[in-house]
Each structure stands twice: as C-alpha cells, then as structure tokens.
Amino acid sequence: MISALTRREFGLATGASGLALGTAALAPGLLNAAEGRVVVIGGGPGGATVAKYVAKDSGGALAVTLVQAEPKFTTCFYSNLYLGGYRDFDSITHDYDALREKHGVDVVIDRAVEVDPVGRKVTLEGGRTLDYDRLVVAPGIQILYGAIEGYSEAAAEIMPHAWQAGPQTRLLRQQIEAMEDGGLFVLAAPPNPYRCPPGPYERVCSVAHHFKQHNPSAKILILDAKEKFSKQSLFEDAWATYYDGMIEWIPGDFGGRVLAVDPEAMTVTTEDETYQAAVANIVPAQSAGAIAHQAGLTDDSGWCPIVPATMQSRMNDDIHVLGDACIAGDMPKSAFSANSQAKVCAMAIRAALTNADAFPPRFRNTCWSTVAPDDAVKVGATYEATEEKIASVEGFISEVGESAEVRGQTREEADAWYASITEDVFG
Amino acid sequence: MGGRRAAVPLAPILLAGVPALGAAVPASAADLAYGEYLSAECITCHRTTVDEGAIPAIVGLPKQYFVNALRDYRAGRRANAVMQNVARSLDDEQVEALAAYFASLNDDGGTEP
C-alpha cells in the first residue's frame, strides 16, 4: 500500500531521517533540543510560510519559533480591494491559531530588536532571548521617510503611505470616504525597487472605483518617481475605459518625482510644481526591514543579498532572508514570491538540520491586479536559481483587448488565489 | 560560521532516486515524496480543503486526468495563461509525480488509508 505511506512513514521505510523521525514521534520534546532550533523573524507571507512548512514537514524534529510583532496580520496584498470598498478589513486579516495548534509553531508576539550572528541569538523587545541553529529573517520593508523632505512617521498619520497594511490602511480608507467633493487625491509612487510593483496603479483603480460611485468629480494625480511601471499599458487602458478623465499620471522625467511634502498645508511638491491635495497617499522609497540592517544582512542597496538555491544570506550561512527584504533577482517583491521562496528555504533548512531530502529549488510568481469590479489582469513567471541570481525562465502577461469573459474569469481567479494563498500561509 | 551541513551544495541532488515513470506503473514512495515536494507550488493557488471559486480543487483527481490536463495546458489546448506557464515548467516525470501524489490524497487533503 505505497499510496498509504505518509511522509513520515516514507522516511522510516527508506531510512532517510528514519531514526530521527521515529524518535520524534515518541519524544518530541527531547528531540526538539537534539535536532535543531529554527527561529523566524516576521509573520508575513514569507515568514509564516517557512515556519509552517519547516514545522509541518519536519514531523516535530525541529523546534520552530515565529517572532511576530502583532497578534494578527493584515495582508498588504488585497488591501487595495479594502480601500476600494470591495472587501472588508476582517477579510484581509489573519491570525496564527493554525500555525500554533495544527503545526506546533511557537508563535511569540514580540519584536526582534537584535540579532547576534556569532552567538546565534535573537533578543526580543520584551527581554527574551532565543537561540537558533538557523534563523530566517523575513521582516518585509521599512519606509524610508527621509527620502521625501517633510515626510516622517508623524506625517504619515496625516498623509498615509498605507504600504504596510494595518492602521495605515484604515486611515487611508477613512480619508478616501471623507474626501470633499471634487477634491484631489495625490498618490506619490516610489522609485524601484519596492514592494508590489503594480500596487500603486491597482490602488488608483480601486480609489477611482470608489470615487466613481461616491465622488464622481474627484480627481486622482499620480506623481511618479519612475518613467514607466508594471502592467503599464493594461492599467492605462483600464483608466481610460472605466475612469475616463479622472486619473492623470506624471512620470519622473516629466517632473513627477515628489521632493517634499507639507502635512499641515496638505501640499505635495515636485521639482516643477506644488499641488494642493485633499488626500495625499505618500509612498516613499523603501529598504529591507530594520532588523535586517541591524543583523548586518544588507548591502549598499539597503536590501539583502541571498544564495538563490537556499535563500541563505550571502553575509551569513546560518541565516536565510526571504520575501521583500531580499534581493531576489528577477522575482518581484510580492506575497506570491515570498511564499514561493519560503518553500525553497524550508526545504533547505530541513535538509541542513535533519538530513531530509533536498530537491532542486523551484520558484514562481503571479500577480493579479483588479482594475474594475469584473476586470482583473495578471502577470507571472517561472524562475530558476542560478549561481548569480533567481533568474526568470518564462513569463506571461494579460493583453489589452482581452474579452470581458477572460477578464471576468481573471477577476474571479484573483479572489480564489487570495483564499488559497492565505490558507497556505496561515492555515 | 555555517550550520552543520551548510557546506553541502543543494543543487545536484536526489533525482537519481526517482525512477522513470509510466502511467501503468504504481506510484512508489519516492514518486509520492517528489510529488509532495512539487505540490507545494500548486497549493499556493489550489486550495486543499474545499473546491470553490474560479481555481478548482485538484486533490484526489484521477491520475490520468491530471496528466492529460497538464499536457493540454502545456500544448496550449487548454486556455489559462498561469496554467500554461506552470505546465511548461514541468517535465513529464514531474507531471507524473504530481499526478500520483494528488491522486493519492482524499478530498480532505489527508492520505488515503
């Protein structure tokens, strides 16, 4: 009855990790100490996935601790649909109950403040210290407030970035709903590289969808640091089709780059002009989350170089870096990418600490963007690990002029994907 | 620096353990293990617990149906850009391993008794 073999039994039957796994079944507590400790910093789509897969697939042989600042996680992906009124906030917010109860992950609600890569310890804000054999750093991004004059954490309470989901997202939604009739919504779009390349332009579609129903004389101005952007022809086609006359985009080479903001006056200044905004959504340049810098994992770019086949830091073999914080070559910074990288990373960690099989790494990404209630577009690719980087193998992108049926299916596919990936990450 | 086996390269590994497959040959434990590994990529989009929405459940599909579907996507006979892209990234052996793995699962994502 070969089909009846579970993975654990397979390990026993073939001798691969058989002793360790068999013993784990009898005395997990003892074995946790003997086999290895894995600490994961950050409970987003990268960190939560790697914690779950290491715990689940090591059959109790590895002790996994996930350090996550908040007890619940609101996904930045799909937060644009909340902003547009398509989804409620609860539907994009997830807890860690399944990671704890189904998979045995020790979820610690605290902040990692220091990594000691020599002593292999993580110190938490609450005072605890966690020893590790392997550390996964998946902190996402930090906002570089200093990149725009006048912008700061305090300014973001008036001019939200909403590029880390949570209270910022709620604040921006409140401002969109309360915006004066005919007001100007300004979105300052960041320079590359940043989290979710199509995100600013999908956000504009969502905000325009809200205004079309509730504030039809409102205007949206995108002030961009870049000259071009992801899925550009698809977004521009959607803006003309659904929100004609509402949206204007000023690229970086035509004076779009935002140099300064004044939250009190609600002004946004480029090299050419100062704009009076009713709502200002300021998304500055970004870098890897702060703990990655403290741990010495970043290079001059502010992001973390990694070994593609294992997601190990190029700065330290005991540390892996996942998701938005890492330099993932041709892969965009997305939840899908982070989830994909996490599975490669989990396999590498189990292979290193428990003799589990290591198969060749596989990477893929797909990003869906909702442009109207029954219309979404997508872009995706498969990738491979080369010595130098995670390299694109083959990709695809939606086309301008696709049928309403295809776009409607893509829109439904996006919702089905959201349900699946959040179950894969948090379930 | 370095964990216990950090120096061991990961790339050139273990496929030697996976025999060539034919549809008539029963799935071996190695096939299922390989299929389980590959399946992690599928379940980012395909839910394992319920079949709802625009992305169908693939858990428990008959093996030959699964193989034919992937071949059709690869050849462009079935439409969906994501699945065509996925199918072109899988060779015949990988499709067989995936088909064997998903066929071995019950609807609830558990392993058949």
Side-chain angles (χ1 to χ4, degrees):
Chain A
M1 292 297 100
I2 271 162
S3 67
L5 288 177
T6 64
R7 190 174 180 89
R8 175 175 296 177
E9 287 161 342
F10 165 63
L12 286 168
T14 57
S17 314
L19 179 62
L21 289 168
T23 315
L26 297 172
L30 278 176
L31 228 106
N32 284 347
E35 280 287 306
R37 297 151 301 181
V38 177
V39 173
V40 180
I41 298 175
T49 303
V50 76
K52 170 179 164 175
Y53 275 75
V54 170
K56 176 171 78 74
D57 292 340
S58 68
L62 295 173
V64 181
T65 304
L66 174 65
V67 180
Q68 156 64 17
E70 305 291 336
K72 291 192 175 184
F73 187 88
T74 302
T75 59
C76 209
F77 54 107
Y78 257 52
S79 66
N80 284 336
L81 279 85
Y82 164 74
L83 292 174
Y86 294 104
R87 305 278 292 220
D88 64 34
F89 198 78
D90 285 348
S91 79
I92 60 166
T93 302
H94 306 271
D95 64 35
Y96 296 93
D97 291 353
L99 262 65
R100 284 193 182 94
E101 290 157 20
K102 269 171 72 180
H103 306 297
V105 176
D106 180 18
V107 182
V108 176
I109 305 303
D110 205 334
R111 262 170 226 283
V113 290
E114 190 180 352
V115 174
D116 170 5
V118 178
R120 298 198 298 193
K121 292 179 198 307
V122 178
T123 303
L124 307 184
E125 196 172 64
R128 258 180 91 179
T129 299
L130 303 170
D131 296 315
Y132 64 82
D133 296 299
R134 286 291 170 118
L135 175 66
V136 181
V137 175
I141 57 161
Q142 67 176 337
I143 302 289
L144 298 179
Y145 291 103
I148 294 174
E149 189 187 332
Y151 203 54
S152 63
E153 221 168 324
E157 295 302 312
I158 300 165
M159 297 177 153
H161 52 76
W163 220 246
Q164 289 162 315
Q168 279 277 300
T169 319
R170 281 190 194 272
L171 176 62
L172 184 59
R173 171 69 183 165
Q174 287 159 8
Q175 293 182 351
I176 291 165
E177 287 181 302
M179 195 174 89
E180 71 204 31
D181 283 351
L184 179 67
F185 178 98
V186 174
L187 189 152
N192 291 321
Y194 62 97
R195 162 179 287 177
C196 190
Y201 315 97
E202 184 197 52
R203 175 168 292 182
V204 162
C205 293
S206 272
V207 174
H209 167 67
H210 171 88
F211 288 154
K212 192 175 175 180
Q213 300 167 82
H214 304 289
N215 190 349
S217 60
K219 298 286 182 200
I220 297 173
L221 177 64
I222 308 164
L223 298 173
D224 210 324
K226 304 180 292 301
E227 282 75 51
K228 58 183 180 161
F229 57 85
S230 171
K231 300 179 185 164
Q232 183 164 346
S233 61
L234 294 164
F235 282 117
E236 289 179 333
D237 179 60
W239 297 343
T241 301
Y242 298 110
Y243 317 110
D244 192 29
M246 185 180 277
I247 300 164
E248 183 184 359
W249 172 65
I250 302 182
D253 52 354
F254 282 82
R257 194 162 73 88
V258 171
L259 302 178
V261 295
D262 182 340
E264 280 184 35
M266 280 301 286
T267 55
V268 180
T269 300
T270 64
E271 57 193 15
D272 292 341
E273 274 190 65
T274 293
Y275 299 90
Q276 183 70 49
V279 174
N281 177 199
I282 306 299
V283 187
Q286 297 148 33
S287 76
I291 192 70
H293 294 264
Q294 186 283 322
L297 303 173
T298 51
D299 67 12
D300 290 344
S301 72
W303 306 96
C304 304
I306 48 99
V307 177
T310 60
M311 304 304 299
Q312 274 165 300
S313 167
R314 288 204 190 267
M315 311 299 191
N316 187 315
D317 289 346
D318 302 323
I319 303 178
H320 302 246
V321 186
L322 293 183
D324 292 350
C326 79
I327 300 170
D330 295 339
M331 289 188 102
K333 298 187 185 301
S334 75
F336 200 124
S337 293
N339 173 264
S340 176
Q341 293 157 12
K343 290 168 183 174
V344 169
C345 179
M347 179 179 66
I349 289 172
R350 290 193 303 109
L353 296 182
T354 72
N355 280 335
D357 302 333
F359 296 99
R362 296 177 59 84
F363 298 96
R364 70 167 298 107
N365 176 64
T366 306
C367 288
W368 287 266
S369 299
T370 291
V371 299
D374 300 311
D375 192 338
V377 293
K378 59 188 173 183
V379 61
T382 51
Y383 303 85
E384 64 183 4
T386 67
E387 285 294 314
E388 178 205 355
K389 66 172 184 176
I390 304 178
S392 179
V393 176
E394 186 193 317
F396 66 89
I397 186 166
S398 296
E399 292 170 15
V400 171
E402 285 170 329
S403 70
E405 187 189 359
V406 167
R407 291 298 185 83
Q409 284 168 355
T410 305
R411 176 73 196 82
E412 290 176 18
E413 197 177 275
D415 282 350
W417 166 76
Y418 185 82
S420 296
I421 192 172
T422 51
E423 184 174 285
D424 191 30
V425 174
F426 300 105
Chain B
M1 212 167 278
R4 279 187 286 155
R5 294 178 194 86
V8 177
L10 261 175
I13 317 182
L14 203 111
L15 288 185
V18 180
L21 297 172
V25 179
S28 72
D31 306 336
L32 293 175
Y34 190 40
E36 181 180 7
Y37 157 68
L38 293 169
S39 76
E41 188 176 325
C42 308
I43 63 175
T44 301
C45 299
H46 292 272
R47 295 183 85 170
T48 55
T49 51
V50 289
D51 183 7
E52 64 175 35
I55 301 177
I58 51 176
V59 166
L61 283 181
K63 189 177 166 190
Q64 198 57 47
Y65 178 90
F66 188 104
V67 169
N68 290 343
L70 268 289
R71 283 181 182 157
D72 285 349
Y73 281 123
R74 192 196 293 162
R77 289 189 295 266
R78 257 178 105 145
N80 187 298
V82 179
M83 281 310 303
Q84 290 174 354
N85 185 249
V86 168
R88 282 197 292 270
S89 77
L90 296 165
D91 63 25
D92 284 344
E93 184 182 74
Q94 291 168 328
V95 169
E96 293 274 358
L98 277 167
Y101 174 70
F102 280 115
S104 77
L105 299 180
N106 287 326
D107 289 347
D108 65 359
T111 304
E112 277 178 353

